[in-house]
Structures are given as structure tokens and as C-alpha cells.
Amino acid sequence: MKVATLTTDFGLEDWFVGVMKGVVLKRAPRVAIVDVTHGIPLGDIRAGAFALWAAFRFFPAGSIHVAVVDPGVGSARAALAVQTEHCCFLAPDNGILSFALRLEPPRSVRRIENRRIISRPVSCSFHGRDVFAPAAGFLANGGTLDKLGPATEASVWLPWPEPRQHRHGWRGEVVYVDRFGNAITNLGLSQLSDREQVVSKTQPCCAVALRNGRQAPFGTQYQEVPPGCPVVIVGSTGLLEIALNGGHAAPELGLKVGDRVTLRAALGERVRGKRARLA
Amino acid sequence: MKVATLTTDFGLEDWFVGVMKGVVLKRAPRVAIVDVTHGIPLGDIRAGAFALWAAFRFFPAGSIHVAVVDPGVGSARAALAVQTEHCCFLAPDNGILSFALRLEPPRSVRRIENRRIISRPVSCSFHGRDVFAPAAGFLANGGTLDKLGPATEASVWLPWPEPRQHRHGWRGEVVYVDRFGNAITNLGLSQLSDREQVVSKTQPCCAVALRNGRQAPFGTQYQEVPPGCPVVIVGSTGLLEIALNGGHAAPELGLKVGDRVTLRAALGERVRGKRARLA
Amino acid sequence: MKVATLTTDFGLEDWFVGVMKGVVLKRAPRVAIVDVTHGIPLGDIRAGAFALWAAFRFFPAGSIHVAVVDPGVGSARAALAVQTEHCCFLAPDNGILSFALRLEPPRSVRRIENRRIISRPVSCSFHGRDVFAPAAGFLANGGTLDKLGPATEASVWLPWPEPRQHRHGWRGEVVYVDRFGNAITNLGLSQLSDREQVVSKTQPCCAVALRNGRQAPFGTQYQEVPPGCPVVIVGSTGLLEIALNGGHAAPELGLKVGDRVTLRAALGERVRGKRARLA
């Protein structure tokens, strides 16, 4: 069964997500529709891009990923259909696909314009229902991308915030805060040396410096530090996350998206000695 | 694959929605169950009626729509199954189907009473699970409406608040506030003259008067007014909505369900001149 | 079509639930995945155990129930797969299955460890995605429990709080508060005498004593007491619930999980006389 996923800022209070699914099912009765999330903060394209990037890789090959965080709905921004090696993305041309397409480069991009596929009339405020859902249903039912509209290219790209090397390690930033209060950074395994990667599986070998001179030692699970203490783990996205054993790191440590953090390498001993002070 | 939709005030914190789906799937293993919303405010039958009206038209013909906002659960109110031309509704007889049935008149109405179909015993507080879900599963699995119980008629109808013509235009009211803070009114395209409908696609030609002497000009997209300014668009339901470019109209303008608004026709020039004052 | 259910504290704001479903669908393209709830309070194993207990019985035989409230993720706690007569449970070995397994005793228990089934590498913080979802997909696709890993036994059990008989009736406690504010107790029909069970269908015959000397009479529906008054009904779980006609019992009466309540039997007349005083 074909899979279509939905990532939006529509919330679940109203009927918006439900009718998108109705429109998809009208055109593709046998598709499995999965919500990635509808809780993206209103109009936060960057958060939507991050959630899509974190999620799409875990779906079956051939999945159709619809991402609608669309503060410019009704303006002249294009509606895009993007074919990659393993899947297809449908989204407004506002940068929301930027991070996903770093992993899956576009092979073909079309504007979704075919009036025989999209709904008529198209409302000025709900292209999720009138443009993207019909296109998703069309593709899920076996339609091909080239029928959706003319070839084009994505015109808006959000830059991925690359970590920068620094005298004592790497400088990065917080890129997402999840419901558990974990602060996900743009620092990843590639910022750890080979030795650190091996060592870090069994003991702290480096640390992330936070504000106020605090440091979070590297660990492999939340419980490696005393309750209430911060710890840095390789999160489920592959990026380093700052967590708090039994707490919510971001609100309790005052971390928010965009805040700088510094990865200090090879501090194993020093960090271990400092643990008590972090509480 | 048959589609069953759910519209309730059960929320998603507990297991209530999940078990309704379990009960449907027990009787109809191949049905696609779609949530319209479970975020209807507790016991707000009118909001449930509105959400159902806004949503059901976008689902495949033959869909089974279950709507349970049911403050009178356990009382003598009937459980209804309503067949229309294109679909079927299951709901308590409390008015929640009123708006949907204006679009799809009932052809046959039955009380859901057959003890061989509904669960035994029926709990006094969860007919969603014990009455409506079994009936939905029965129908989704090919059962027919007449088996559910004796013929009856819906006895409770919520009046649709019709706009009233007025010396300077039309008087209406706010009928729903969505998650984006858009205030949906009962004013629609039929309250605009032909000339206004054409003109309104390219320029403001009329306005909705709000409280405090404010006016919101007519537009075709949120961005047509400066950020922070109100605008009236034909919303995705076909009704006029008061929105705020980049903001939340209802809380910021103090609009709530039941508030009066007046559509003043052919005010294009005056309204355009006043835009700056609306901020 | 096979059914897999999900009960977690992951919330719906992030992509966590979506990717679990993606992983299940990768391995079992034709499974129907149903959310029981993802709104369990963070790390509240007892609430998760209660929700699972309340829900699983209503799903088709053969369903696979995945329950992940897992504050110890990444520690040495085992990941369990439990076969019972009618279904299968996948969950961390932390007691979350305790209440469900009282109804469905385990027939076979395995540790989920087979590296050919679970994801590689396993993240240290998201076993829902990397361990439990792959195992669920494997089983939904026809795999057998014995392939998941070696035989074991659940090692953590939460005790069900049994009501205690008391001079004037039964002493129990609040075990769950639902979204409606209903306070579900551990008192059930087995704490009512035969006579009371019959009588209670038509009139209050006993009452639950609350704090401050208040009493809630027994009823069969919320409307049996005046608006704003408390009433005890046999809830949809089969347990006695304290509700408020038209209100939210738990916040308004100051009831929370763990609070003691006492069932006083055969107080029909006295309670009826006292109703007015309860408001």
C-alpha cells in the first residue's frame, strides 16, 4: 500500500487535517496516510523543514511526503512537486524542503498547476486541501509527476546552520527543541574525532559548553548523570542533544532555537570531575 | 476501501478515540478511519455541527460520518443513523447533524437500537464506543441502515444563523473561530453582488464592519493588507472570514462566536482610503 | 488487516509518532496502525498502564499493542514482547503492562534483541522507533515471537490498588482523571452488593464519600443530579467514576490520582435527602 505523510502547522483542533485526508482518499482509495506532525508552530517554516528532515527517511521507499507550513498561501509562491531517488515531496516553494533535499537531491521538480488535477475553485487560504492533497492523491493512485505541471526549480532554500571549527572544538547552535525539552543542536558525529566516538560509547570524553559557564558532559543515556543534571547524547536524529536527566533541558537551562553551544573535545577527565557542579 | 470519519469532543489525551477505532475495526477490518477532529470544545454541539458541515463534503461518496458531541449521553435522546444521497451520518439526536443535513437532506433515518449490533452492556457514558462505533463498523462491513433499528426522524435542529439584509448591506455574525484565530462568519458569496464578486478578485470592493468602528477590507489573500491589519477573505468553507495578516484576528480584535459583523457593500474606495487606520 | 496500536507519552508536537508508523509500515505494508493515545503524562508509567488496560480489550483479536512510556530508555531494562491468548504486547520491562496482563496472562515472553529485526544502530533515546516499531512490523508481517529474542519474564510489576473492605463499605482511591475531569476510582461493580447493583439502575442506593464530608450519590447518568452536583456512575471502564453534571469533577472537587474515596453502601434514602446539600 502506498504511503502519504502529512507535516503541517494546521493543528488538530479544526477539520483541516481531516479534509486533506478525505481529498487524498477520494483520489487514492488505498493509500495509508500517516501524520508526521500537525504541531509545527504557526508559520515556522524552519521547524517544519527540520521535522520533515528528521522523519522522511524512516518511511517506505516510494512514499509521498506532503509538507504544508505556508504563511504565503494565496500569494504567487509556487506549489512544488519534487521527485527524488526514493520518494516524492509536495510543498510550497518556501524553503520547507531545504533540509530533506540535502539528503535526497531533487531529480525532477514540477509546479503543481494542472487544473484537471487540483480542485476547482482553489481557495485562497487552504492549498493543503485544494492543491497539495489532490496532487498527493493523484500520485498515490499511480499518476506521474510530469502531469502535475511544468518543470521548474525550487527557488527558496534555507541554509543549514553548519557548525564552525573553533580553537577548542566546534561552535554550533540549538536547531530544535522537542516536547521533552531536549535541545537538539547542529553538532553531529562528524564533529567528534574517531577516538571520541569510540570512547563516548562507554564514558564521557567531551562536553558541550552552555551559557553561564555550565558544561554538559557527553553520555550515552540520560541516566548517566545524576537526576537534574544536563547530559549531551547522540540523539535519535544523529545530532547531539542537550538533555536533563529527569527534567526538561531547554526550559530549565534557558536554551532556545538559535542559542550558541560549543563542543569542547577530549575533556573526559575534566568533565567527569565537574559533574557535581553542573546540578 | 470504505471510509469512516470521526468528529468528537473526546480529545486525544485519553484512550477514547483509540477504542472507538478498535471497535470499528473489529467489525470492519478493511475500513479507513479518518479523524475529522477530536478537539471540539467539550459539549459544544454547535461547533461540532459546524466542523462536520465544513468537512464531510470532501470525503469519498459512501463515507460513514460519526459525530459524537454528546452532553446528553445516557439520557433518553436517540442515537441516529441517517442515510443521504452520498453518505451516512451516525450521531446523537441533539442537533449536531443540523448543518450537514442542510446540504445533504436525509433520505432515511433510523434509531440505532439493534442489540445484536451495538455492544452489550451499553455503558451510560460512552455511546461513542458502545453504540456509534459498532454501528459504523456494521455499515462499513456492508450492513444496511434498516437493520440498525426502527425508522424515526431527527427531533433536534439547530437553526443556521441566516444573514439579514440591512440598509447598508448585510448583518451577520461570527460562527466559528479556527486555530489560526480566523473568525468565520455566516456571510457568504451570496451576500455579495455579482459585480462585487468579480471585482473582489482583484481589489477590495466592500468591507466588514467590526466593533469600535473598525472595518476590514475585502481581499483575496492575507498579504493584501499590511502586516497586523485585518482583511476579509472568502475562506476555504466558502464563508467570509476575518483574518489578520501575520496575526490572530479573533483574539487580537476581540471577536468571538456570536459577535455581530456587518457587510457593507461597494465601499471599495472608502475602504482603501481607510486601510492605514485599521492597524 | 492486522492491527497495531500505539500508546506513548511522545505527544503529537514532534515527528516521533509519525516515524514509528513509518518504520512499522516499512516492514508490514498492510497493517492498520491505531493511536490509543500519545498524551500519557511524560514518564507516567502508571497512567500508561491504565490507558492500555482500558483500551486493549476493544481491539480485534491478534492485535499488536505497543506501549512506550520509557523513562529508562537506554538503560539495561529489557524490551519485552509478550504473547497472550488474544493479542501481543511490546513494551519496556518497567511495569507498563502490569494492568493489561492481569486480564490477559502472559503465555510467552521474549526479550526483543534480534539484531536482524531491530534497527541498527539503536539510538540511545528512541527505542520506540528502533526496537519496538521494527518488532511490531515484524510481527504484523507474519513473524513469530520466538524470533525476537530469548525467553524471559517481566521483572517489574505495578500493584493494582485493591479496594479494602471497611466497616461502612469499601475504601478505594482515584486511579485516573480523564480529559472530562472524571475521577476514575478502583472501586467496581464487585464492591456493590447484588441488591445495590439492581437498585442502582433506577435510583441512588449508595454513595461515595469525598473530602470535606461531601458525598456523591450513585446514578446511572450525569443528568440524574442537578447541574454542578457530583454523581457516581459505573464508568465505561467498568469502574466507578466521580463526575459532575455539566462540570469537571476532579478539578472542581479537588480530586487527584491517589486520593482516597469511600464507598458507603445502602445509603439510598439518606443520600437522596442530601442531594441539595452537595451543590
Side-chain angles (χ1 to χ4, degrees):
Chain A
M1 201 148 68
K2 203 83 172 175
V3 173
T5 79
L6 306 178
T7 304
T8 79
D9 62 351
F10 293 165
L12 297 172
E13 300 91 332
D14 307 300
W15 55 85
F16 305 136
V17 172
V19 299
M20 281 185 70
K21 295 179 182 173
V23 170
V24 172
L25 287 167
K26 249 187 186 167
R27 286 156 177 83
R30 304 182 61 78
V31 67
I33 307 176
V34 178
D35 301 308
V36 170
T37 178
H38 301 286
I40 301 296
L42 284 182
D44 190 339
I45 297 168
R46 179 173 293 273
F50 192 82
L52 185 65
W53 168 85
F56 85 94
R57 308 165 251 174
F58 295 94
F59 285 87
S63 293
I64 298 157
H65 301 288
V66 182
V68 190
V69 177
D70 194 12
V73 62
S75 71
R77 66 104 191 87
L80 300 181
V82 180
Q83 183 67 54
T84 68
E85 186 182 351
H86 297 105
C87 59
C88 180
F89 296 97
L90 305 177
D93 182 13
N94 63 13
I96 195 172
L97 301 181
S98 302
F99 303 157
L101 295 180
R102 277 166 54 97
L103 296 183
E104 282 270 314
R107 293 190 164 184
S108 163
V109 184
R110 299 276 169 168
R111 282 180 80 102
I112 307 171
E113 287 186 351
N114 186 339
R115 284 162 172 265
R116 276 183 282 189
I117 294 170
I118 64 179
S119 300
R120 281 191 297 181
V122 170
S123 68
C124 67
S125 58
F126 196 3
H127 290 194
R129 180 191 72 189
D130 299 336
V131 175
F132 296 106
F138 174 77
L139 295 176
N141 204 33
T144 55
L145 206 77
D146 59 292
K147 295 287 198 305
L148 292 175
T152 186
E153 290 195 357
S155 69
V156 181
W157 294 91
L158 302 179
W160 176 255
E162 293 290 352
R164 299 203 178 171
Q165 199 149 14
H166 179 264
R167 205 156 40 115
H168 300 303
W170 290 84
R171 182 156 286 169
E173 63 185 76
V174 174
V175 291
Y176 191 92
V177 173
D178 72 20
R179 122 144 173 142
F180 297 94
N182 297 324
I184 305 176
T185 74
N186 60 341
L187 301 163
L189 282 175
S190 54
Q191 273 80 47
L192 297 177
S193 70
D194 287 350
R195 182 184 147 269
E196 285 159 1
Q197 291 193 37
V198 174
V199 176
S200 70
K201 287 181 186 163
T202 53
Q203 57 171 311
C205 69
C206 62
V208 169
L210 310 173
R211 298 193 305 187
N212 309 327
R214 277 187 158 200
Q215 296 199 32
F218 199 90
T220 55
Q221 44 159 304
Y222 305 134
Q223 297 82 359
E224 245 177 71
V225 293
C229 286
V231 62
V232 176
I233 62 166
V234 178
S236 61
T237 59
L239 296 171
L240 301 189
E241 300 182 7
I242 302 156
L244 213 63
N245 183 9
H248 306 282
E252 295 181 37
L253 299 174
L255 289 168
K256 55 183 199 309
V257 171
D259 279 1
R260 280 201 185 168
V261 292
T262 305
L263 176 69
R264 296 205 181 151
L267 296 180
E269 291 312 306
R270 276 178 53 205
V271 168
R272 260 183 294 171
K274 277 189 181 167
R275 271 195 197 170
R277 226 163 54 77
L278 295 171
Chain B
M1 200 148 69
K2 204 83 171 176
V3 173
T5 80
L6 306 179
T7 304
T8 79
D9 62 352
F10 293 165
L12 298 172
E13 300 92 332
D14 307 300
W15 54 86
F16 305 136
V17 172
V19 299
M20 282 184 69
K21 295 178 182 173
V23 170
V24 173
L25 287 167
K26 249 187 187 167
R27 288 156 175 80
R30 305 183 61 79
V31 68
I33 308 176
V34 178
D35 301 307
V36 169
T37 178
H38 301 287
I40 301 296
L42 284 181
D44 190 339
I45 297 168
R46 179 173 294 272
F50 192 82
L52 185 65
W53 169 86
F56 85 94
R57 309 166 250 172
F58 294 94
F59 285 87
S63 293
I64 299 156
H65 301 289
V66 181
V68 190
V69 178
D70 193 12
V73 62
S75 71
R77 66 102 190 88
L80 300 181
V82 181
Q83 183 68 53
T84 68
E85 186 182 350
H86 296 106
C87 58
C88 180
F89 296 97
L90 306 178
D93 182 13
N94 62 14
I96 195 170
L97 301 180
S98 302
F99 303 158
L101 295 179
R102 276 165 53 97
L103 296 183
E104 284 269 316
R107 293 190 161 183
S108 164
V109 184
R110 299 276 169 166
R111 284 180 79 103
I112 308 172
E113 287 185 353
N114 186 339
R115 285 163 171 263
R116 274 183 284 189
I117 294 170
I118 64 179
S119 300
R120 281 194 295 183
V122 171
S123 68
C124 66
S125 58
F126 195 3
H127 289 193
R129 181 191 72 189
D130 298 336
V131 175
F132 296 107
F138 174 77
L139 295 176
N141 204 33
T144 56
L145 207 76
D146 59 291
K147 295 285 198 307
L148 292 175
T152 186
E153 290 195 0
S155 68
V156 182
W157 294 90
L158 303 179
W160 176 254
E162 293 290 353
R164 300 202 177 173
Q165 199 148 15
H166 179 263
R167 204 154 42 110
H168 300 301
W170 290 84
R171 182 155 286 168
E173 63 185 76
V174 175
V175 291
Y176 190 91
V177 172
D178 72 18
R179 121 144 173 142
F180 298 94
N182 297 323
I184 304 176
T185 74
N186 60 340
L187 301 163
L189 281 175
S190 54
Q191 275 80 47
L192 297 177
S193 71
D194 287 350
R195 181 183 148 271
E196 285 159 1
Q197 289 193 37
V198 174
V199 177
S200 70
K201 287 182 183 162
T202 54
Q203 56 171 309
C205 70
C206 60
V208 169
L210 310 173
R211 298 193 305 185
N212 310 327
R214 279 187 156 199
Q215 297 200 29
F218 198 90
T220 56
Q221 45 158 304
Y222 305 132
Q223 297 82 359
E224 244 175 72
V225 293
C229 286
V231 61
V232 176
I233 63 168
V234 179
S236 61
T237 59
L239 297 170
L240 300 189
E241 299 182 8
I242 303 156
L244 212 63
N245 183 10
H248 307 282
E252 296 181 36
L253 299 173
L255 289 167
K256 56 184 200 306
V257 171
D259 279 1
R260 279 201 185 169
V261 293
T262 306
L263 177 69
R264 297 206 180 150
L267 294 182
E269 292 312 307
R270 275 179 53 207
V271 168
R272 260 183 293 171
K274 278 192 180 166
R275 272 197 198 170
R277 229 166 51 78
L278 295 171
Chain C
M1 201 149 69
K2 203 84 173 176
V3 173
T5 80
L6 305 179
T7 304
T8 79
D9 62 351
F10 293 165
L12 297 172
E13 300 93 331
D14 307 300
W15 55 86
F16 305 136
V17 172
V19 300
M20 282 184 70
K21 294 179 183 174
V23 170
V24 173
L25 287 167
K26 250 187 185 168
R27 288 159 175 79
R30 306 183 61 79
V31 67
I33 308 175
V34 178
D35 300 309
V36 169
T37 178
H38 301 286
I40 301 297
L42 285 181
D44 190 340
I45 296 167
R46 179 174 293 273
F50 192 82
L52 185 66
W53 169 84
F56 85 94
R57 309 166 251 172
F58 295 94
F59 285 86
S63 293
I64 298 155
H65 301 289
V66 182
V68 189
V69 177
D70 194 11
V73 61
S75 71
R77 67 101 191 87
L80 300 181
V82 180
Q83 183 67 54
T84 67
E85 185 182 352
H86 296 105
C87 59
C88 179
F89 296 97
L90 305 177
D93 182 14
N94 62 15
I96 195 171
L97 301 181
S98 302
F99 303 158
L101 295 179
R102 277 166 53 98
L103 296 183
E104 283 269 314
R107 293 191 163 183
S108 163
V109 185
R110 298 275 169 168
R111 285 179 79 104
I112 308 172
E113 287 185 350
N114 186 339
R115 285 162 171 261
R116 276 183 283 191
I117 294 171
I118 63 179
S119 300
R120 283 193 294 182
V122 171
S123 69
C124 65
S125 58
F126 196 4
H127 289 192
R129 181 190 71 190
D130 299 336
V131 175
F132 296 107
F138 173 77
L139 295 176
N141 203 33
T144 54
L145 207 76
D146 59 292
K147 295 285 197 307
L148 293 174
T152 185
E153 291 195 359
S155 68
V156 182
W157 295 90
L158 303 179
W160 176 256
E162 294 289 353
R164 299 200 179 175
Q165 199 148 15
H166 179 262
R167 205 154 42 114
H168 300 301
W170 290 84
R171 183 154 286 170
E173 63 184 76
V174 175
V175 290
Y176 191 91
V177 172
D178 72 19
R179 121 144 174 142
F180 298 94
N182 297 324
I184 305 176
T185 74
N186 60 341
L187 300 162
L189 282 174
S190 54
Q191 274 80 48
L192 297 178
S193 70
D194 287 349
R195 182 184 149 269
E196 285 159 0
Q197 290 192 37
V198 174
V199 177
S200 69
K201 285 181 188 164
T202 54
Q203 57 171 313
C205 69
C206 61
V208 168
L210 310 173
R211 299 194 304 186
N212 310 325
R214 278 188 156 199
Q215 296 201 28
F218 198 90
T220 58
Q221 44 158 303
Y222 305 133
Q223 297 83 359
E224 245 176 73
V225 293
C229 285
V231 62
V232 175
I233 62 167
V234 178
S236 61
T237 58
L239 296 171
L240 301 189
E241 299 182 9
I242 302 157
L244 213 63
N245 183 10
H248 306 282
E252 296 181 37
L253 299 174
L255 289 168
K256 54 183 200 309
V257 170
D259 279 1
R260 281 202 183 170
V261 293
T262 306
L263 176 69
R264 296 206 182 151
L267 296 180
E269 291 313 305
R270 276 178 52 204
V271 168
R272 258 184 296 171
K274 278 190 181 167
R275 270 199 199 169
R277 229 165 50 80
L278 295 172

